[in-house]
Amino acid sequence: MRSQAVCWSRSRSTGVERPTLLDVDDVPDGPVDAIVVGAGPNGLAAAITLARAGRSVRVYEAADEAGGGLRTAELTLPGFRHDPCATIVPLMAASPFFRTVDLAAHGVELVHPESPFAHPLDGGTAAVLERSVTATAAGLGVDDGRAWRKVFGPLVRSADHLADELLRPVLHLPRHPIALARFGPPALRSADGFARGRFLDEPSRALFAGVAAHSMLRLDRPLTASFGLVLATSAHSVGWPMVRGGSAKVAEALVAELEAAGGAVVTGRRIDSMADLPPRRVVLFDVTPRQLVAIAGHALTPRTRRHAERFRYGSGVFKVDWALDGPVPWAAEGPRRAATVHLGGTLSEIVAAEAEVAAGRHPERPFVLFAQYQRWDGSRAPAGKGTAWAYCHVPAGSTVDMTGRIEAQVERFAPGFRDLILARSTHAPAAMEAYDANYVGGDINGGIQDIRQLLFRPWPTLDPYRVGEGLYLCSSSTPPGGGVHGMSGMLAARSALRHELR
């Protein structure tokens, strides 16, 4: 396919900006200050940061559209719009980078369900995280409600300061040491130990376990409580929104923002080696260490190359998208008010399921992350119909079809769900990696985020973004890791501006 560049024009009749694809021959391929390889949210954030600083920037993307994990497609039936990757974007709502982008001006609407997430249990009950800490606590009983307020009340009050501290390298000079000190001690614990130590009853423990399981780690390991604390604090403070019409609209907005600042995105242009790039002062790679070595290994120092080759990837995901003949028939009321539903039962069940995955096995009852849209975004499906999205964790590179086990978990808490399925689309780890090369073995986080690679990501270095002279890594393999936040790109660009683009 012929390479194309994405530019934007405003319709004279409607005033709406629309993407225009130009032949790459129409875009000068001459020297620039910076090249960004990869047009995922971090790559685009890096390019925008550099362009705003007055540097000339060009982004090359192998796929035929920009966005990386921010894309939307009709995966099942005509008229049913699905997000193949990122769909609920809590870290985007909390991100210092995204505070600098007027998404609404680009036509992006963040839709907030009544409740950020819910966790159904057997017997037709559910624990629900509400936007209000007080309302959440009221649903957890007297003792656990008091404990929830004690944990999350102070964190939510300092949420903006915490976001500034946590969405950057773990090892840094803190600007808000009091907020960070309040967060630190409980964050060091395992999610399992924290939940059992703080809460008495199963609903509260399960609610925390479900949000902590986004870590894709064994929940009996140190620091896994930090994931639950960060994401639950985000849910209380800024919500867990979806993007009306699909996540691709955020990618379109970022491309428009870059173009307005003077940059350009060239799609359908795969970069296999440094020789494929035009003259430039620096290159920023929105790729994982594996792709970095393949493209620029010869330009790395022997030590850096060894670190890159030893970089460790985490568990994969098996994903299912459904076209549905109506709303999900949850047995409990709580999940009907939340776009995100965590399916896994009790704390003990979730801990056991994640331990199975970490040991290279496939749990019969996997922990499932489930998203639904019909109640809040009717644009994703024909009238009266709906779409849903889910994945479970599996060993890296797994070839086991988990469709039946995922659907059994949904049916467990929503009897009659299977009867609503009009069509489904499944993606095993290999398909996820084929869709986006950064999802190595199905790992959507850009590398395992265990204690070593959380503290030293991507490897021990004073500047985690600078990997060589004129070379920078700006993907989720750098701090702060996975999620749609753009901070890896913004911080890598700032490093380039300090060192070589002054």
Side-chain angles (χ1 to χ4, degrees):
M1 178 171 288
R2 192 173 176 79
S3 295
Q4 297 174 309
V6 180
C7 296
W8 288 73
S9 60
R10 187 178 296 276
S11 167
R12 293 182 179 178
S13 60
T14 66
V16 175
E17 286 188 334
R18 300 182 183 278
T20 303
L21 293 176
L22 304 177
D23 284 343
V24 74
D25 292 341
D26 297 327
V27 178
D29 208 21
V32 290
D33 290 322
I35 293 290
V36 179
V37 177
N42 283 312
L44 293 172
I48 289 167
T49 302
L50 294 171
R52 287 173 176 169
R55 308 304 187 266
S56 56
V57 186
R58 191 176 306 126
V59 183
Y60 291 112
E61 168 58 45
D64 293 329
E65 59 181 319
L70 292 173
R71 287 185 261 179
T72 304
E74 293 184 343
L75 299 177
T76 54
L77 297 172
F80 290 81
R81 294 173 60 78
H82 305 270
D83 293 331
C85 300
T87 195
I88 305 296
V89 287
L91 293 181
M92 189 176 83
S95 166
F97 167 74
F98 274 99
R99 291 177 202 156
T100 73
V101 181
D102 189 349
L103 292 173
H106 294 297
V108 176
E109 180 184 354
L110 297 183
V111 181
H112 290 267
E114 295 94 309
S115 306
F117 60 83
H119 192 113
L121 295 163
D122 293 321
T125 64
V128 181
L129 186 140
E130 310 285 2
R131 283 295 299 271
S132 162
V133 173
T134 300
T136 303
L140 298 177
V142 175
D143 292 331
D144 280 0
R146 186 183 302 113
W148 194 273
R149 287 194 301 271
K150 185 176 181 180
V151 170
F152 288 104
L155 295 180
V156 171
R157 287 192 291 272
S158 59
D160 286 346
H161 290 165
L162 274 176
D164 288 338
E165 297 292 352
L166 299 176
L167 292 177
R168 62 181 64 247
V170 172
L171 303 179
H172 70 277
L173 184 64
R175 300 176 184 175
H176 309 286
I178 295 176
L180 199 57
R182 186 181 295 119
F183 170 81
L188 296 174
R189 301 189 65 182
S190 72
D192 184 35
F194 179 86
R196 295 184 188 280
R198 291 298 181 109
F199 307 118
L200 300 175
D201 298 325
E202 192 53 55
S204 310
R205 291 176 171 181
L207 187 66
F208 186 80
V211 67
H214 284 252
S215 64
M216 299 179 67
L217 297 168
R218 287 186 58 138
L219 297 184
D220 57 359
R221 292 295 187 259
L223 283 177
T224 49
S226 67
F227 293 88
L229 292 169
V230 169
L231 291 174
T233 298
S234 176
H236 282 308
S237 60
V238 298
W240 276 26
M242 66 179 72
V243 181
R244 187 176 300 281
S247 296
K249 292 187 177 297
V250 176
E252 293 170 2
L254 293 177
V255 173
E257 188 83 4
L258 174 60
E259 193 274 337
V265 179
V266 180
T267 59
R269 180 78 167 268
R270 180 176 298 280
I271 303 301
D272 293 315
S273 75
M274 298 292 284
D276 296 334
L277 296 173
R280 70 281 160 187
R281 295 170 65 187
V282 300
V283 185
L284 294 89
F285 295 92
D286 186 8
V287 302
T288 78
R290 178 175 297 184
Q291 291 83 44
L292 176 68
V293 170
I295 297 170
H298 68 282
L300 304 176
T301 66
R303 180 175 179 272
T304 299
R305 178 164 182 154
R306 283 195 302 273
H307 279 306
E309 290 172 338
R310 293 171 183 170
F311 184 81
R312 294 171 300 121
Y313 296 88
S315 301
V317 300
F318 186 99
K319 184 171 181 290
V320 186
D321 290 276
W322 296 278
L324 301 175
D325 197 22
V328 180
W330 300 107
E333 172 61 27
R336 299 174 189 173
R337 297 187 290 106
T340 302
V341 185
H342 296 144
L343 305 175
T346 65
L347 167 66
S348 295
E349 285 184 88
I350 298 169
V351 170
E354 296 301 278
E356 285 279 286
V357 175
R361 297 186 290 267
H362 298 77
E364 285 300 318
R365 283 187 163 185
F367 171 71
V368 174
L369 291 94
F370 185 95
Q372 56 188 353
Y373 315 93
Q374 184 173 356
R375 182 169 178 172
W376 305 279
D377 185 3
S379 70
R380 291 177 179 250
K385 311 299 181 184
T387 59
W389 169 112
Y391 68 76
C392 71
H393 303 149
V394 293
S398 166
T399 58
V400 174
D401 186 343
M402 297 293 286
T403 307
R405 300 185 209 190
I406 289 175
E407 291 182 354
Q409 285 287 63
V410 184
E411 186 80 16
R412 173 183 173 187
F413 302 106
F417 171 77
R418 287 194 181 101
D419 296 335
L420 296 175
I421 298 173
L422 300 173
R424 68 173 62 82
S425 172
T426 63
H427 286 76
M432 296 296 291
E433 186 172 349
Y435 180 80
D436 189 324
N438 281 358
Y439 300 153
V440 176
D443 177 1
I444 58 175
N445 279 330
I448 192 169
Q449 296 186 105
D450 60 6
I451 188 168
R452 177 152 59 100
Q453 282 193 181
L454 189 63
L455 294 175
F456 304 108
R457 189 175 184 88
W459 44 76
T461 177
L462 293 176
D463 184 338
Y465 309 101
R466 195 179 190 212
V467 296
E469 186 175 352
L471 304 176
Y472 296 81
L473 195 62
C474 66
S475 70
S476 59
S477 297
T478 65
V484 180
H485 44 66
M487 291 300 295
S488 300
M490 185 180 82
L491 294 171
R494 287 181 177 177
S495 178
L497 289 168
R498 286 196 306 272
H499 288 105
E500 289 161 290
L501 295 179
R502 292 188 295 271

Short mmCIF file of all heavy atoms in Angstrom, two decimals, residues 73-99:
data_model
loop_
_atom_site.label_atom_id
_atom_site.label_comp_id
_atom_site.label_asym_id
_atom_site.label_seq_id
_atom_site.Cartn_x
_atom_site.Cartn_y
_atom_site.Cartn_z
N ALA A 73 -13.24 0.15 15.09
CA ALA A 73 -13.54 -0.57 13.85
C ALA A 73 -14.81 -1.39 14.01
O ALA A 73 -15.23 -1.72 15.13
CB ALA A 73 -12.37 -1.50 13.48
N GLU A 74 -15.41 -1.74 12.90
CA GLU A 74 -16.57 -2.63 12.89
C GLU A 74 -16.05 -4.07 12.86
O GLU A 74 -15.87 -4.66 11.80
CB GLU A 74 -17.47 -2.34 11.69
CG GLU A 74 -18.14 -0.97 11.77
CD GLU A 74 -19.11 -0.72 10.62
OE1 GLU A 74 -19.05 -1.45 9.60
OE2 GLU A 74 -19.94 0.20 10.74
N LEU A 75 -15.82 -4.64 14.01
CA LEU A 75 -15.20 -5.96 14.11
C LEU A 75 -16.18 -7.10 13.96
O LEU A 75 -15.79 -8.23 13.65
CB LEU A 75 -14.49 -6.09 15.46
CG LEU A 75 -13.35 -5.12 15.75
CD1 LEU A 75 -12.81 -5.35 17.16
CD2 LEU A 75 -12.23 -5.25 14.73
N THR A 76 -17.46 -6.85 14.21
CA THR A 76 -18.44 -7.95 14.23
C THR A 76 -19.44 -7.84 13.08
O THR A 76 -19.39 -8.62 12.14
CB THR A 76 -19.18 -7.97 15.57
OG1 THR A 76 -19.76 -6.67 15.82
CG2 THR A 76 -18.24 -8.33 16.71
N LEU A 77 -20.33 -6.85 13.16
CA LEU A 77 -21.38 -6.66 12.16
C LEU A 77 -21.41 -5.21 11.72
O LEU A 77 -20.96 -4.32 12.46
CB LEU A 77 -22.75 -7.04 12.75
CG LEU A 77 -22.96 -8.49 13.19
CD1 LEU A 77 -24.29 -8.62 13.93
CD2 LEU A 77 -22.89 -9.42 12.00
N PRO A 78 -21.93 -4.92 10.53
CA PRO A 78 -22.04 -3.53 10.09
C PRO A 78 -22.84 -2.70 11.10
O PRO A 78 -23.88 -3.14 11.60
CB PRO A 78 -22.76 -3.64 8.75
CG PRO A 78 -22.45 -5.02 8.26
CD PRO A 78 -22.39 -5.87 9.49
N GLY A 79 -22.34 -1.52 11.39
CA GLY A 79 -23.02 -0.63 12.31
C GLY A 79 -22.66 -0.82 13.76
O GLY A 79 -23.09 -0.03 14.62
N PHE A 80 -21.89 -1.84 14.09
CA PHE A 80 -21.43 -2.09 15.45
C PHE A 80 -19.96 -1.66 15.55
O PHE A 80 -19.09 -2.28 14.95
CB PHE A 80 -21.58 -3.56 15.82
CG PHE A 80 -23.00 -4.02 15.98
CD1 PHE A 80 -23.76 -4.35 14.87
CD2 PHE A 80 -23.58 -4.12 17.24
CE1 PHE A 80 -25.08 -4.77 15.00
CE2 PHE A 80 -24.90 -4.55 17.38
CZ PHE A 80 -25.65 -4.87 16.26
N ARG A 81 -19.72 -0.60 16.32
CA ARG A 81 -18.38 -0.02 16.41
C ARG A 81 -17.70 -0.49 17.69
O ARG A 81 -18.24 -0.37 18.79
CB ARG A 81 -18.46 1.51 16.38
CG ARG A 81 -18.96 2.03 15.04
CD ARG A 81 -19.19 3.54 15.07
NE ARG A 81 -17.96 4.28 15.38
CZ ARG A 81 -16.98 4.52 14.50
NH1 ARG A 81 -17.07 4.04 13.26
NH2 ARG A 81 -15.93 5.21 14.85
N HIS A 82 -16.48 -1.04 17.52
CA HIS A 82 -15.72 -1.61 18.63
C HIS A 82 -14.36 -0.93 18.74
O HIS A 82 -13.78 -0.50 17.74
CB HIS A 82 -15.50 -3.11 18.42
CG HIS A 82 -16.76 -3.89 18.20
ND1 HIS A 82 -17.47 -4.45 19.23
CD2 HIS A 82 -17.43 -4.20 17.06
CE1 HIS A 82 -18.53 -5.09 18.75
NE2 HIS A 82 -18.53 -4.95 17.43
N ASP A 83 -13.84 -0.88 19.95
CA ASP A 83 -12.46 -0.44 20.18
C ASP A 83 -11.58 -1.68 20.29
O ASP A 83 -11.68 -2.42 21.28
CB ASP A 83 -12.36 0.38 21.47
CG ASP A 83 -13.10 1.70 21.38
OD1 ASP A 83 -13.20 2.25 20.27
OD2 ASP A 83 -13.57 2.18 22.43
N PRO A 84 -10.72 -1.94 19.31
CA PRO A 84 -9.90 -3.15 19.37
C PRO A 84 -8.97 -3.21 20.58
O PRO A 84 -8.62 -4.30 21.04
CB PRO A 84 -9.09 -3.09 18.07
CG PRO A 84 -9.92 -2.25 17.16
CD PRO A 84 -10.56 -1.23 18.04
N CYS A 85 -8.58 -2.06 21.11
CA CYS A 85 -7.65 -2.05 22.25
C CYS A 85 -8.21 -1.16 23.36
O CYS A 85 -9.17 -1.53 24.00
CB CYS A 85 -6.27 -1.59 21.78
SG CYS A 85 -5.56 -2.65 20.51
N ALA A 86 -7.65 0.02 23.57
CA ALA A 86 -8.06 0.88 24.68
C ALA A 86 -9.50 1.34 24.49
O ALA A 86 -9.90 1.73 23.40
CB ALA A 86 -7.14 2.08 24.77
N THR A 87 -10.27 1.32 25.59
CA THR A 87 -11.67 1.73 25.48
C THR A 87 -12.13 2.58 26.65
O THR A 87 -12.80 3.58 26.47
CB THR A 87 -12.58 0.50 25.30
OG1 THR A 87 -13.86 0.94 24.86
CG2 THR A 87 -12.71 -0.31 26.57
N ILE A 88 -11.81 2.20 27.88
CA ILE A 88 -12.09 3.02 29.06
C ILE A 88 -10.77 3.71 29.43
O ILE A 88 -9.74 3.06 29.53
CB ILE A 88 -12.60 2.18 30.24
CG1 ILE A 88 -13.83 1.37 29.81
CG2 ILE A 88 -12.93 3.07 31.43
CD1 ILE A 88 -15.05 2.19 29.43
N VAL A 89 -10.80 5.03 29.61
CA VAL A 89 -9.54 5.79 29.63
C VAL A 89 -9.39 6.62 30.92
O VAL A 89 -9.34 7.85 30.89
CB VAL A 89 -9.43 6.69 28.39
CG1 VAL A 89 -9.15 5.86 27.15
CG2 VAL A 89 -10.72 7.51 28.17
N PRO A 90 -9.28 5.95 32.09
CA PRO A 90 -9.16 6.71 33.34
C PRO A 90 -7.87 7.51 33.44
O PRO A 90 -7.88 8.63 33.96
CB PRO A 90 -9.21 5.61 34.41
CG PRO A 90 -8.78 4.36 33.72
CD PRO A 90 -9.31 4.50 32.32
N LEU A 91 -6.75 6.95 32.96
CA LEU A 91 -5.49 7.68 33.08
C LEU A 91 -5.43 8.88 32.14
O LEU A 91 -4.75 9.86 32.42
CB LEU A 91 -4.31 6.74 32.83
CG LEU A 91 -4.12 5.64 33.88
CD1 LEU A 91 -2.91 4.79 33.56
CD2 LEU A 91 -4.00 6.23 35.28
N MET A 92 -6.16 8.81 31.04
CA MET A 92 -6.23 9.97 30.15
C MET A 92 -6.91 11.12 30.87
O MET A 92 -6.49 12.28 30.77
CB MET A 92 -6.99 9.62 28.88
CG MET A 92 -6.92 10.71 27.82
SD MET A 92 -7.73 10.23 26.30
CE MET A 92 -9.42 10.63 26.72
N ALA A 93 -7.96 10.81 31.62
CA ALA A 93 -8.67 11.85 32.35
C ALA A 93 -7.81 12.48 33.44
O ALA A 93 -8.03 13.62 33.85
CB ALA A 93 -9.95 11.28 32.95
N ALA A 94 -6.82 11.73 33.94
CA ALA A 94 -5.96 12.22 35.02
C ALA A 94 -4.63 12.77 34.52
O ALA A 94 -3.88 13.36 35.30
CB ALA A 94 -5.69 11.09 36.02
N SER A 95 -4.32 12.60 33.26
CA SER A 95 -2.98 12.86 32.73
C SER A 95 -2.63 14.35 32.62
O SER A 95 -3.38 15.12 32.01
CB SER A 95 -2.85 12.23 31.34
OG SER A 95 -1.72 12.71 30.66
N PRO A 96 -1.47 14.76 33.15
CA PRO A 96 -1.01 16.13 32.93
C PRO A 96 -0.83 16.46 31.45
O PRO A 96 -1.06 17.61 31.05
CB PRO A 96 0.33 16.17 33.68
CG PRO A 96 0.16 15.16 34.78
CD PRO A 96 -0.64 14.05 34.15
N PHE A 97 -0.43 15.49 30.63
CA PHE A 97 -0.31 15.78 29.20
C PHE A 97 -1.67 16.11 28.60
O PHE A 97 -1.82 17.10 27.87
CB PHE A 97 0.31 14.62 28.43
CG PHE A 97 0.14 14.77 26.94
CD1 PHE A 97 0.90 15.71 26.24
CD2 PHE A 97 -0.80 14.05 26.23
CE1 PHE A 97 0.72 15.91 24.87
CE2 PHE A 97 -0.99 14.23 24.87
CZ PHE A 97 -0.23 15.17 24.19
N PHE A 98 -2.67 15.28 28.85
CA PHE A 98 -3.96 15.52 28.23
C PHE A 98 -4.65 16.77 28.75
O PHE A 98 -5.57 17.28 28.10
CB PHE A 98 -4.86 14.29 28.39
CG PHE A 98 -4.65 13.27 27.31
CD1 PHE A 98 -3.85 12.16 27.53
CD2 PHE A 98 -5.21 13.44 26.06
CE1 PHE A 98 -3.64 11.23 26.52
CE2 PHE A 98 -5.01 12.51 25.04
CZ PHE A 98 -4.21 11.41 25.27
N ARG A 99 -4.19 17.29 29.89
CA ARG A 99 -4.71 18.59 30.34
C ARG A 99 -4.31 19.70 29.38
O ARG A 99 -4.93 20.76 29.35
CB ARG A 99 -4.18 18.92 31.74
CG ARG A 99 -4.72 18.05 32.86
CD ARG A 99 -4.05 18.46 34.17
NE ARG A 99 -4.10 17.39 35.16
CZ ARG A 99 -3.26 17.27 36.18
NH1 ARG A 99 -2.30 18.16 36.36
NH2 ARG A 99 -3.38 16.26 37.03
#
